[in-house]
């Protein structure tokens, strides 16, 4: 049973397995992505209801551009569908939407819906729902260090002024952007046991829960089971 006094502040999810879910059912890949979107909707609702302050999902990575044009286009269309169908409910539930990554190169209708979601929910004070779009962990670190390098070049800071906290501030999760900090828990579905370039800096002391369940089958109950597993661990941060 969940200990409601020990709910993690920030949970991140690698929503993996949509394609395999569709393949198992001899359905098009987009059927899997559609099912995955429905699963995400339920996880967002459950996360908000149990008091998680920040939920971050890996929706589209910098490496996902390697997929077929048809699949990429379908994923971007789902963004439009999701915002059109769910934004009013997200707003009514006081959820705040933030984006991790540079989404400017997405199709215009997707960018329009994303901006609409960010703008409508910007003053909400409930759970912050971070969507990682065109996001890569290495690119996140590269971009943050480039921003800091420009401060050094301008003479605003010295190299010796650079701290781990400063680097963290300039990452997409940092104070300069989403301001959600590092996740205590990272969940990955579908049986894969790797980060896949996700939150590389931020995951230094995260707890990981891996499950064989494919993302479209990942229910709110399984989400709570993952949090229960997290709650049963002793986080020592390098100590004894």
């Amino acid at each position: 049973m969940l200990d409601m006094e020990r709910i993690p502040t920030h949970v991140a999810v690698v929503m993996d397995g949509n394609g395999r879910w569709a393949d198992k059912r001899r359905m098009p890949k987009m059927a899997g992505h559609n099912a995955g979107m429905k699963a995400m909707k339920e996880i967002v609702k459950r996360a908000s209801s149990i008091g998680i302050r920040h939920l971050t999902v890996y929706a589209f990575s910098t490496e996902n551009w390697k997929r077929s044009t048809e699949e990429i286009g379908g994923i971007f269309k789902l963004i439009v569908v999701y915002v059109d169908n769910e934004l009013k409910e997200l707003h009514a539930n006081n959820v705040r939407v933030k984006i991790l990554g540079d989404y400017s190169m997405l199709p215009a209708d997707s960018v329009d819906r994303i901006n609409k979601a960010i703008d409508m929910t910007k003053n909400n004070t409930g759970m912050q729902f971070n969507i990682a779009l065109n996001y890569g962990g290495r690119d996140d670190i590269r971009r943050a260090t480039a921003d800091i390098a420009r401060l050094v070049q301008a003479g605003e800071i010295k190299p010796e002024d650079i701290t781990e906290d400063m680097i963290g501030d300039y990452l997409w999760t940092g104070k300069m952007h989403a301001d959600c900090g590092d996740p205590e828990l990272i969940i990955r579905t579908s049986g894969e046991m790797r980060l896949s370039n996700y939150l590389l800096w931020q995951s230094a002391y995260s707890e990981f829960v891996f499950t064989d369940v494919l993302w479209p089958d990942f229910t709110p109950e399984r989400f709570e089971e993952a949090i229960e597993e997290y709650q049963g661990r002793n986080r020592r941060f390098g100590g004894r």
Side-chain angles (χ1 to χ4, degrees):
M1 183 177 293
L2 278 182
D3 181 349
M4 300 305 292
E5 300 298 318
R6 297 176 59 233
I7 298 294
T9 300
H10 184 182
V11 176
V13 183
V14 181
M15 305 181 295
D16 196 18
N18 291 343
R20 275 168 282 177
W21 184 92
D23 289 343
K24 284 177 65 175
R25 290 160 178 77
R26 298 183 180 180
M27 299 168 71
K29 285 280 194 293
M30 284 314 303
H33 291 305
N34 271 293
M37 183 180 69
K38 293 176 182 177
M40 184 181 74
K41 172 186 175 180
E42 296 306 314
I43 297 303
V44 170
K45 289 169 62 176
R46 183 61 59 90
S48 177
S49 71
I50 64 175
I52 288 170
R53 295 300 302 163
H54 304 280
L55 176 69
T56 301
V57 299
Y58 207 6
F60 191 85
S61 77
T62 50
E63 289 72 37
N64 287 156
W65 292 103
K66 301 173 186 176
R67 297 186 179 186
S68 70
T69 302
E70 181 182 5
E71 185 175 0
I72 292 171
I75 291 170
F76 292 157
K77 286 178 183 176
L78 277 181
I79 293 172
V80 174
V81 171
Y82 180 77
V83 173
D84 286 348
N85 291 346
E86 307 302 333
L87 181 55
K88 286 184 179 179
E89 184 174 350
L90 288 171
H91 187 44
N93 289 328
N94 201 26
V95 173
R96 185 182 187 190
V97 176
K98 287 278 192 175
I99 303 297
L100 309 186
D102 178 8
Y103 63 91
S104 62
M105 62 186 68
L106 271 61
D109 54 351
S110 299
V111 173
D112 175 71
R113 297 312 197 283
I114 292 166
N115 288 336
K116 180 180 179 181
I118 293 170
D119 184 64
M120 181 179 286
T121 65
K122 64 184 178 183
N123 294 319
N124 289 348
T125 57
M127 186 185 78
Q128 183 167 299
F129 179 33
N130 304 308
I131 306 172
L133 273 174
N134 194 29
Y135 175 87
R138 288 182 175 181
D139 182 70
D140 193 7
I141 296 167
R142 179 207 60 77
R143 185 194 49 78
T145 53
D147 286 344
I148 294 169
R150 281 187 279 271
L151 297 178
V152 175
Q153 188 176 44
E156 296 181 33
I157 63 171
K158 298 176 182 179
E160 54 268 27
D161 294 331
I162 300 171
T163 64
E164 290 186 9
D165 285 344
M166 180 183 291
I167 295 170
D169 286 346
Y170 279 86
L171 296 171
W172 283 113
T173 51
K175 292 179 181 178
M176 300 296 177
H177 300 283
D179 194 17
C180 57
D182 300 342
E184 291 99 329
L185 170 63
I186 297 178
I187 302 167
R188 179 163 187 159
T189 59
S190 88
E192 304 293 350
M193 297 185 182
R194 59 179 179 271
L195 276 174
S196 295
N197 200 21
Y198 187 45
L199 302 176
L200 298 181
W201 178 283
Q202 298 91 330
S203 63
Y205 282 102
S206 300
E207 296 292 328
F208 294 88
V209 171
F210 299 105
T211 173
D212 291 335
V213 177
L214 300 175
W215 176 251
D217 295 326
F218 191 72
T219 62
E221 290 71 29
R222 290 192 180 273
F223 181 66
E224 289 194 7
E225 287 172 6
I227 295 173
E228 287 179 36
E229 183 174 338
Y230 159 84
Q231 291 179 338
R233 298 181 186 176
N234 178 19
R235 304 184 72 210
R236 295 185 295 275
F237 300 97
R240 295 186 180 277

